Amino acid sequence: DNWDAHRAAGWAAVVFIWIFAIGFGFSWGPCAWIVVAEVFPLGLRAKGVSIGASSNWLNNFAVAMSTPDFVTAASYGVYIFLGMMCVIGALYIYFLTPETKGRTLDEMDELFGDKSGRSQADAAVLEQAMREVGLLDAAGIEKGSPKHEVEESEYAHGEKPAAQHTA
């Protein structure tokens, strides 16, 4: 409560707060949102991101609620502890988190260890649905494909292509 009597300790606390804010700003702070958005396969992404965001907010709440008691009990040691957590978070992100910039969803599934091929299966289902409702033909996407050329040649000779079974 007496700034003049504890001037050095006060400035040390301010410096440690700055170090924590800077460390958190480039380490785990933004990375938690990026990692949680990219680590889940497409089919589970919405649920995974919601659980990850909830966990992030819950942990932030726990830190905010425990910090005053921690400061009372440990004084400036709190700032050393939180600063070290930021250093550990920065090292974790730098050395253990893979780069995902410019990668496809399938590549990211591989990168994070998902061997199920779920995003490829989801893409195949989407393509089949678009084909069945005629979106690919309407957009001219399949014009250059060998299958499309066979169908065009069959129509040119007056033959009707075999009917496709739709589920």
Side-chain angles (χ1 to χ4, degrees), residues 4-131:
D4 290 329
H6 306 288
R7 193 171 189 89
W11 279 112
V14 168
V15 168
F16 281 121
I17 289 172
W18 289 341
I19 291 170
F20 171 76
I22 291 167
F24 190 76
F26 79 84
S27 66
W28 195 245
C31 292
W33 297 101
I34 294 167
V35 169
V36 82
E38 293 181 343
V39 73
F40 294 102
L42 191 58
L44 300 174
R45 186 157 294 155
K47 290 177 185 171
V49 169
S50 66
I51 291 170
S54 298
S55 172
N56 190 8
W57 283 105
L58 183 62
N59 289 322
N60 286 335
F61 177 75
V63 168
M65 295 306 292
S66 64
T67 298
D69 294 333
F70 198 8
V71 169
T72 301
S75 186
Y76 67 90
V78 173
Y79 301 104
I80 293 172
F81 174 76
L82 294 175
M84 291 306 298
M85 290 292 101
C86 281
V87 168
I88 291 168
L91 293 173
Y92 174 83
I93 292 299
Y94 187 78
F95 290 111
L96 298 175
T97 304
E99 178 61 57
T100 59
K101 180 179 178 184
R103 295 184 186 259
T104 65
L105 292 175
D106 295 325
E107 291 171 336
M108 292 206 318
D109 283 350
E110 255 181 61
L111 190 65
F112 287 108
D114 181 14
K115 306 289 188 226
S116 68
R118 186 176 182 135
S119 64
Q120 289 177 340
D122 289 346
V125 168
L126 177 62
E127 183 180 350
Q128 180 62 30
M130 289 190 301
R131 182 175 290 112

Side-chain angles (χ1 to χ4, degrees), residues 122-166:
D122 289 346
V125 168
L126 177 62
E127 183 180 350
Q128 180 62 30
M130 289 190 301
R131 182 175 290 112
E132 287 176 3
V133 297
L135 289 177
L136 296 179
D137 285 333
I141 293 173
E142 291 189 324
K143 289 260 185 224
S145 71
K147 178 182 174 201
H148 196 319
E149 290 173 359
V150 168
E151 289 177 359
E152 283 181 346
S153 68
E154 288 174 354
Y155 276 119
H157 292 80
E159 301 172 40
K160 182 178 178 185
Q164 292 182 354
H165 174 70
T166 58

